[in-house]
Amino acid sequence: MPPGVKNPDTGDPNQKRKVYEKFEYTKNDKGPYRLIAELIDDQKGEIRINKLTVGKLLCKSKEYKDNIINMRPMGQKRLLVFVKSYTIANRLQEDETMKGNNYSFYVPRNFLTITGVVSGVPVEMSNEEIMENMTCEVPIVNIYRLHRFVNNMKIPTNRISIMFRTSQLPAEVKLYCCNNSVQPFISKPVLCENCLRYGHKTETCRSKKRCPVCATHHEGVETGDCNNKNACLYCKRDHRTNDPNCPEREKQRNIKKIMAKSNMNYLEAREINPIMTQNRYDILENLADFPTPSESFATMTAGNYKPKDPQQYKPQAVQKVKERSKKSTLLTQ
């Protein structure tokens, strides 16, 4: 089972809880330490996780109350939890009280690792050979050969992705006595074809289906019947949401860059580069709605305005200051 992936078969047919491969923080990791809190008894999707409910439960422990910095929603069933101490973060994963209240705490693999790309590695070198002969200042978790598709054929390239056990991407790795620079691994934006939102795949979407033409919910969505004009869910222009030239697509690329370089999750990176859910400047598009005054300062002066010398006002200003000082002295006596 890949790290951080849900295990569909726990060996117990009566066991309904989701199982994740365990990852723990060490003293070498830098805080704040992040965890995911998940509602593990979903009751057929009828219950949403509430950060205040979870916070109230955690505050019963003084250690948790003193060390948990904040919690933020990550969808209907999960919270992003920030903790001061790595020991407290690790302890939360084993807390039986939280599990008894149907809350599971875990550290995803991407919170502890970061992926980079190295170019110029010959195709004939296997992943095992590279792993055995490559050295770096931080631990290397695994290596994967990148491929490209030509006519539906998977062709290996001279680029490899390397996963490091650190939150900061190292500048270089050494392979066969040669230093090789490491670049961030930037993945492509993922657009859900069901709800037309970025950040998750279609098969994991729990939202209602939106029309790919007009980006709204209507009766003809499931059958594909839509006579409305093209409309983008984000920029509100007359094109479909999945248009590759949509300005939101570029914002999503920037979010992916932030995620790759700063080891952030999608939620955190999105706050740095917000999604364009509406065009805030539509109101300014029609200049006729904002007429220019008939007599502006420039037209009234006709270019004859000359700034006055501030020195001529200096004696008057000094005199006013003296008068104020004199009045203040009289009042305090």
Side-chain angles (χ1 to χ4, degrees):
M1 181 183 65
V5 177
K6 300 173 186 177
N7 186 353
D9 183 10
T10 61
D12 183 356
N14 298 320
Q15 177 65 272
K16 296 182 179 180
R17 293 185 176 181
K18 299 170 184 177
V19 178
Y20 295 84
E21 184 171 345
K22 184 179 178 181
F23 292 93
E24 291 188 342
Y25 288 106
T26 67
K27 62 180 180 180
N28 296 324
D29 296 314
K30 296 181 180 180
Y33 305 94
R34 299 173 294 169
L35 297 95
I36 298 295
E38 183 173 18
L39 183 62
I40 53 181
D41 186 6
D42 59 7
Q43 299 291 331
K44 297 182 179 180
E46 297 177 359
I47 301 177
R48 299 170 65 98
I49 194 167
N50 187 292
K51 64 179 183 180
L52 294 178
T53 303
V54 179
K56 181 179 178 180
L57 187 61
L58 289 170
C59 283
K60 293 181 179 180
S61 168
K62 187 178 185 303
E63 284 187 316
Y64 292 160
K65 184 177 181 180
D66 295 341
N67 283 277
I68 294 179
I69 303 171
N70 193 14
M71 290 184 289
R72 292 149 64 183
M74 287 188 66
Q76 297 182 2
K77 304 296 178 183
R78 298 189 300 169
L79 295 173
L80 180 61
V81 184
F82 298 87
V83 186
K84 294 180 183 178
S85 167
Y86 78 92
T87 56
I88 298 298
N90 293 336
R91 189 181 304 171
L92 268 171
Q93 298 188 77
E94 301 295 335
D95 194 297
E96 294 297 331
T97 302
M98 300 305 298
K99 292 178 181 179
N101 284 274
N102 291 327
Y103 295 109
S104 173
F105 287 78
Y106 62 94
V107 180
R109 179 177 60 181
N110 63 295
F111 282 10
L112 297 175
T113 62
I114 191 167
T115 303
V117 176
V118 172
S119 302
V121 182
V123 177
E124 56 269 19
M125 288 187 182
S126 65
N127 293 345
E128 293 76 14
E129 178 186 357
I130 298 171
M131 188 76 173
E132 183 179 350
N133 294 278
M134 180 174 286
T135 58
C136 183
E137 59 183 8
V138 296
I140 297 175
V141 179
N142 60 41
I143 294 172
Y144 177 75
R145 174 75 61 176
L146 298 179
H147 295 75
R148 59 188 176 93
F149 288 89
V150 178
N151 297 327
N152 295 326
M153 293 182 61
K154 192 176 181 180
I155 301 176
T157 67
N158 65 352
R159 302 169 71 237
I160 59 171
S161 67
I162 308 173
M163 181 180 292
F164 302 94
R165 176 56 176 87
T166 180
S167 59
Q168 298 294 327
L169 196 68
E172 60 184 17
V173 294
K174 197 165 189 176
L175 179 61
Y176 287 124
C177 302
C178 299
N179 293 331
N180 301 270
S181 61
V182 180
Q183 302 298 326
F185 178 77
I186 303 173
S187 58
K188 295 181 179 179
V190 177
L191 177 66
C192 175
E193 297 178 0
N194 184 64
C195 69
L196 302 182
R197 294 195 179 277
Y198 287 93
H200 65 272
K201 296 181 180 179
T202 306
E203 51 268 25
T204 61
C205 182
R206 298 180 180 179
S207 302
K208 294 181 180 179
K209 185 176 180 61
R210 280 192 176 90
C211 177
V213 178
C214 61
T216 61
H217 303 291
H218 58 76
E219 295 180 357
V221 171
E222 297 297 336
T223 60
D225 299 329
C226 181
N227 297 322
N228 298 329
K229 295 181 179 180
N230 288 336
C232 176
L233 178 64
Y234 297 97
C235 66
K236 308 302 180 182
R237 298 179 184 176
D238 57 348
H239 62 75
R240 296 194 177 192
T241 304
N242 61 357
D243 191 317
N245 296 319
C246 177
E248 183 60 32
R249 181 62 65 93
E250 183 60 30
K251 283 198 171 186
Q252 292 295 327
R253 294 192 186 99
N254 292 334
I255 289 174
K256 289 294 184 180
K257 291 179 182 178
I258 295 171
M259 293 173 64
K261 296 178 180 179
S262 304
N263 197 29
M264 294 182 178
N265 59 33
Y266 182 81
L267 177 67
E268 295 170 306
R270 189 178 65 180
E271 291 184 352
I272 296 176
N273 198 335
I275 291 179
M276 183 191 300
T277 54
Q278 61 180 351
N279 186 353
R280 300 178 181 179
Y281 304 101
D282 281 344
I283 191 172
L284 303 177
E285 287 185 353
N286 190 0
L287 295 180
D289 295 336
F290 300 89
T292 304
S294 57
E295 289 188 350
S296 65
F297 179 79
T299 57
M300 287 189 294
T301 58
N304 296 322
Y305 172 76
K306 293 181 180 180
K308 296 181 180 180
D309 185 6
Q311 293 296 328
Q312 65 180 324
Y313 298 106
K314 188 172 182 180
Q316 300 175 11
V318 171
Q319 183 62 30
K320 288 183 179 180
V321 171
K322 289 182 178 179
E323 291 177 358
R324 291 196 198 100
S325 178
K326 186 176 181 181
K327 288 181 180 180
S328 177
T329 302
L330 292 174
L331 291 173
T332 54
Q333 289 178 350

